[in-house]
Amino acid sequence: MHNTPTSVVTIERFIIEQERLHPEATGELSGILYDVALAAKLIASKVRSAGLVDILGATHHENVQGEIQQKLDVVANEIIIKAMDHGGRLCAMASEEEPDIIPIPEGFRCGKYVLLFDPLDGSSNIDVNVPVGTIFSVYRKITRGVRGEMEDMLQPGRRQVAAGYIIYGSSTMLVYTTGQGVHGFTLDPSIGEFLLSHPDIRIPERGRYLSVNDSYEDDWAEPVKQLMHSYRGIGGTRKPLSVRYVGSLVADFHRNLLGGGVFCYPGNHRYPQGKLRLLYEANPLAFVVEQAGGLACDGQQRILDVNPTELHQRSPLFIGSRDEVEAASAMLAPAALSASTA
Ligand code: AFP
């Protein structure tokens, strides 16, 4: 396969080409990726018109038909469920927006995969026209029954078979991996197609950017404070990283993936596990970053090796360029990361 940014390759064609590399593939995973791409287009069109709601709709709460306006994260959640539940490829889903497993409705066939997703991450940024994103993660079912169960959801991230995200920014991009590198597609809104724009993304080994909300500094443990000081070059130990923090994980992650950098959301005294969710945020982005040559840890161990115990479990996160995450791991949990990735 010799796809370059100058050849016009739709996401559908790319997925088919990837599938051909696996003669044993049944096409089910490809089908999931098509459906995710469809959901992404539907969500993108809603996000694009978010700023027009107050102009076209009657009030803050009612639209022109007199229906109650739903928050966009709820809309995105419904779009994904409706795009995915009837394809016969999934046996259950889980969403950051829903307390429990989302079953496949009666009457539809169940497949051999589960999908976990954060439908609209960073949604508090929508009101101020700042990029938001969708994050997704796919695992093969491990239980024996027809329907997906909690055990299928609570698998360590290293067992993911696909993961990725969609960023609704100045353009809409879908970035995903199935364990064979990381590939990015940009939505051409004039034809409604995702076109291959970033084949085989590699994250620079050294970072340029540091993404962290340092208003929590007073609550950080001493080693975390030291790590952040070192990233900033305080004390002259290294060239400082430039601070860039959007407050939308997907946007911060995407910048660091392309330009090199590290995103940190440490635990603190008040929230020892931080804010981000292991299954919907940390694991999928960790799979992407490792496939691009980077690393992700929680300060104690590699993210992809954490054994989840709860659907909505939170996790500290240090993710991005290899050198920067190794520095985090060396300062916060000496020797742990290098042992698990060796
Ligand atoms: P919202 O969905 O509430 O905007 O949260 C976004 C988010 O989960 C993630 O996208 C950001 O990186 C992180 O929270 C920002 O959290 P802080 O405001 O605590 O820095």
Side-chain angles (χ1 to χ4, degrees), residues 139-327:
Y139 292 82
R140 207 166 275 117
K141 176 177 185 301
I142 51 172
T143 56
R144 287 167 160 265
V146 174
R147 294 182 164 271
E149 297 170 32
M150 190 59 87
E151 211 183 317
D152 300 309
M153 303 291 173
L154 300 182
Q155 301 188 53
R158 63 174 181 274
R159 295 214 194 121
Q160 288 170 102
V161 293
Y165 61 88
I166 299 104
I167 177 167
Y168 311 99
S170 45
S171 50
T172 297
M173 267 191 81
L174 191 158
V175 176
Y176 82 90
T177 183
T178 53
Q180 281 151 356
V182 178
H183 309 288
F185 301 81
T186 302
L187 182 63
D188 181 338
S190 63
I191 55 169
E193 290 276 12
F194 278 107
L195 302 178
L196 181 63
S197 52
H198 296 65
D200 203 12
I201 296 171
R202 304 296 297 167
I203 184 168
E205 279 192 14
R206 297 207 70 179
R208 281 169 66 194
Y209 304 116
L210 166 64
S211 306
V212 70
N213 184 346
D214 58 9
S215 67
Y216 301 118
E217 175 156 4
D218 281 351
D219 288 320
W220 285 339
E222 203 47 45
V224 173
K225 287 184 191 168
Q226 280 168 19
L227 173 67
M228 297 305 152
H229 288 185
S230 110
Y231 281 150
R232 286 158 178 266
I234 294 171
T237 47
R238 58 166 290 168
K239 190 169 168 264
L241 298 173
S242 262
V243 175
R244 297 282 188 284
Y245 192 70
V246 175
S248 265
L249 173 61
V250 169
D252 283 310
F253 177 82
H254 185 68
R255 182 202 322 96
N256 295 340
L257 182 71
L258 298 184
V262 60
F263 174 96
C264 307
Y265 206 114
N268 59 48
H269 293 316
R270 272 190 282 172
Y271 302 103
Q273 297 305 309
K275 174 183 183 188
L276 303 178
R277 313 282 178 160
L278 176 64
L279 299 186
Y280 311 108
E281 294 169 315
N283 267 341
L285 297 184
F287 188 25
V288 169
V289 87
E290 286 203 4
Q291 281 293 312
L295 290 174
C297 74
D298 67 1
Q300 298 300 314
Q301 63 175 325
R302 181 184 175 219
I303 288 287
L304 296 181
D305 284 336
V306 176
N307 285 317
T309 53
E310 286 172 40
L311 214 45
H312 294 281
Q313 159 172 359
R314 296 176 197 269
S315 169
L317 181 62
F318 302 84
I319 187 166
S321 293
R322 175 170 287 271
D323 287 0
E324 313 313 335
V325 180
E326 276 177 351

Side-chain angles (χ1 to χ4, degrees), residues 26-174:
T26 59
E28 280 184 63
L29 184 57
S30 300
I32 292 170
L33 295 170
Y34 295 142
D35 291 345
V36 167
L38 173 66
K41 288 187 226 174
L42 294 167
I43 297 171
S45 89
K46 297 282 181 199
V47 171
R48 290 279 162 262
S49 54
L52 295 170
V53 166
D54 287 347
I55 299 169
L56 301 177
T59 70
H60 281 290
H61 303 293
E62 280 188 15
N63 66 14
V64 275
Q65 284 84 31
E67 295 161 343
I68 300 294
Q69 278 292 343
Q70 285 181 302
K71 283 180 68 191
L72 260 187
D73 42 9
V74 178
V75 173
N77 190 49
E78 283 176 7
I79 287 176
I80 296 178
I81 294 171
K82 284 187 185 146
M84 311 295 304
D85 67 1
H86 58 280
R89 294 143 186 147
L90 298 174
C91 58
M93 290 180 266
S95 162
E96 210 239 15
E97 287 286 320
E98 308 261 350
D100 302 313
I101 291 181
I102 307 162
I104 300 302
E106 293 293 339
F108 293 128
R109 200 172 81 80
C110 281
K112 59 174 187 258
Y113 293 100
V114 293
L115 175 78
L116 297 94
F117 58 92
D118 182 351
L120 212 57
D121 184 69
S123 52
S124 59
N125 280 324
I126 288 174
D127 289 347
V128 288
N129 209 352
V130 165
V132 288
T134 297
I135 311 174
F136 66 94
S137 165
V138 181
Y139 292 82
R140 207 166 275 117
K141 176 177 185 301
I142 51 172
T143 56
R144 287 167 160 265
V146 174
R147 294 182 164 271
E149 297 170 32
M150 190 59 87
E151 211 183 317
D152 300 309
M153 303 291 173
L154 300 182
Q155 301 188 53
R158 63 174 181 274
R159 295 214 194 121
Q160 288 170 102
V161 293
Y165 61 88
I166 299 104
I167 177 167
Y168 311 99
S170 45
S171 50
T172 297
M173 267 191 81
L174 191 158

